[in-house]
């Protein structure tokens, strides 16, 4: 009986101390969510869900596809990568820069069988054009 009473007193004391600590008048630094931040959050979540679905479909691990792409471009460095569906095929797309060369090599590796689907050199001008096109497509969605 004494143990139960002691436990009840300890819980009450802890609760009152925690309550007293939380009663300070602090100005909140958290901004309320705006419509645009909520929309961005949904967009990011949808993209993550799409990426997760694509990753479940892929039969080849990303590390294997990356090694295949780098084997195509000796001395290259991966600048960006993406798992996407292009022309009906599920591919890993890699932008690889090469020291001493302008632009990038874009290598597409099939995410189902690991084969190289395409290899294309993009000049800086072509990269800008592609980025503008992708931005326009995102805005339309």
């Amino acid at each position: 009986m004494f143990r139960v009473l002691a436990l009840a007193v300890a819980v009450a004391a802890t609760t009152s101390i925690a309550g007293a600590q939380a009663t300070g008048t602090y100005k909140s630094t958290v901004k309320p969510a705006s419509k645009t931040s909520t929309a961005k959050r949904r967009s990011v979540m949808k993209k993550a869900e799409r990426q997760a679905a694509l990753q479940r479909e892929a039969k080849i691990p990303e590390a294997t596809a990356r090694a295949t792409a780098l084997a195509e471009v000796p001395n290259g460095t991966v600048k960006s990568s993406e798992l996407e569906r292009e022309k009906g095929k599920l591919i890993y797309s890699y932008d690889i820069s090469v020291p001493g060369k302008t632009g990038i090599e874009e290598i597409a590796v099939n995410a189902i069988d690991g084969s190289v689907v395409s290899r294309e050199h993009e000049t800086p001008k072509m990269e800008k054009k592609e980025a503008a096109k992708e931005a326009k497509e995102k805005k339309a969605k």
Side-chain angles (χ1 to χ4, degrees):
M1 178 73 170
F2 181 69
R3 287 184 187 169
V4 174
L5 185 59
L7 181 62
V9 170
V11 169
T14 305
T15 306
S16 65
I17 291 171
Q21 290 175 346
T23 58
T25 55
Y26 296 103
K27 184 175 180 181
S28 175
T29 58
V30 178
K31 294 181 182 177
S34 66
K35 289 181 183 180
T36 55
S37 67
T38 304
K40 279 184 185 179
R41 196 174 314 124
R42 278 193 206 122
S43 174
V44 168
M45 288 176 68
K46 284 182 183 179
K47 183 176 181 179
E49 289 170 2
R50 287 191 302 265
Q51 282 297 305
L54 292 175
Q55 286 172 348
R56 284 191 297 272
E57 286 183 50
K59 303 290 186 219
I60 303 298
E62 195 275 337
T64 304
R66 178 181 288 262
T68 302
L70 286 171
E72 288 288 311
V73 185
N75 301 321
T77 305
V78 175
K79 292 298 177 187
S80 68
S81 64
E82 179 180 20
L83 178 61
E84 62 185 334
R85 192 172 304 281
E86 193 171 276
K87 297 179 184 172
K89 291 184 179 180
L90 185 61
I91 63 165
Y92 289 102
S93 177
Y94 294 94
D95 290 344
I96 302 175
S97 66
V98 180
K101 251 185 156 180
T102 60
I104 58 156
E105 295 293 323
E106 184 174 7
I107 309 292
V109 178
N110 190 315
I112 304 300
D113 64 15
S115 64
V116 175
V117 176
S118 68
R119 176 182 179 158
E120 182 181 343
H121 180 76
E122 289 185 354
T123 63
K125 185 177 180 180
M126 291 168 70
E127 285 182 72
K128 251 186 196 180
K129 187 176 180 180
E130 184 178 339
K133 180 182 174 186
E134 287 177 359
K136 186 177 180 182
E137 288 173 359
K138 281 184 181 178
K139 196 173 185 181
K141 286 182 182 181

